[in-house]
Amino acid sequence: MLKPLVLVPLSLALAACGLQPMYAGGSNAAVAQGLAAVEVPPVPGRSGWLMRNALQERLGAAGDASTRYRLDVRLDESLEALGILNDDTISRERRILRARYQLIDTTTGEIMLDATSGADAGIDVVSSEYATIAAEQTALENLAEEVADRIVTQVSLALREAAQAE
């Protein structure tokens, strides 16, 4: 019986902390409309193609809107040897994908967001070269998805701040 009495003050404190749903209003919300208005220019390379597709999937989820923002993305990727055996063969690799991105308001030319994000994944190097290459490619695909999620979160926050300032 004591638990409901404890939960009431806690719920009132949480309500007073200022947390608000970012996508309140669904596809008509300012953030959702802002995300739909972001254009992603082509990014060079296979990792760029993967990143651009992942970003377009996430940004276009709110529907179509006229382009107001441009998201410029530059990628840096690497594959490093982590584990080296006594016979100088590599037993483990780390694939790293880093992105530097800028959200630009195309109507004013203002840079609304200038940030970086990245992720890395470990890969076991096995005796089959095909399996190792497939693992490296899968890791790159997964990293592009993960970094795209992080970028869209930061872009959403920047768009929410801009909408609140207006």
Side-chain angles (χ1 to χ4, degrees):
M1 191 64 179
L2 209 53
K3 287 183 183 178
L5 294 175
V6 173
L7 292 178
V8 171
L10 289 176
S11 64
L12 292 174
L14 183 61
C17 76
L19 289 176
Q20 298 172 345
M22 189 176 308
Y23 300 104
S27 63
N28 294 326
V31 172
Q33 290 297 312
L35 289 175
V38 175
E39 172 201 6
V40 183
V43 182
R46 184 174 194 280
S47 58
W49 179 80
L50 290 167
M51 177 63 67
R52 183 173 188 245
N53 286 346
L55 288 169
Q56 286 179 322
E57 280 179 17
R58 287 153 179 77
L59 295 171
D64 292 328
S66 60
T67 301
R68 178 176 174 186
Y69 307 103
R70 187 179 74 240
L71 182 62
D72 292 333
V73 180
R74 285 186 286 142
L75 295 178
D76 180 30
E77 66 174 297
S78 63
L79 187 62
E80 299 176 351
L82 283 181
I84 299 177
L85 301 175
N86 289 339
D87 61 353
D88 288 333
T89 59
I90 299 169
S91 65
R92 188 126 174 98
E93 296 174 331
R94 180 170 70 178
R95 181 139 220 168
I96 302 168
L97 183 64
R98 302 279 181 253
R100 170 133 193 252
Y101 54 97
Q102 292 181 325
L103 180 66
I104 300 166
D105 186 334
T106 56
T107 58
T108 64
E110 173 192 2
I111 297 175
M112 300 176 62
L113 177 65
D114 187 357
T116 60
S117 184
D120 59 279
I123 302 164
D124 287 328
V125 177
V126 295
S127 60
S128 168
E129 188 175 333
Y130 174 78
T132 301
I133 292 171
E136 291 170 356
Q137 295 303 319
T138 301
L140 180 60
E141 292 167 10
N142 292 338
L143 291 173
E145 297 283 332
E146 185 177 340
V147 173
D149 285 338
R150 293 177 184 183
I151 291 173
V152 171
T153 299
Q154 291 301 313
V155 168
S156 298
L157 292 171
L159 292 172
R160 183 176 73 173
E161 285 179 20
Q164 289 175 344
E166 290 179 355

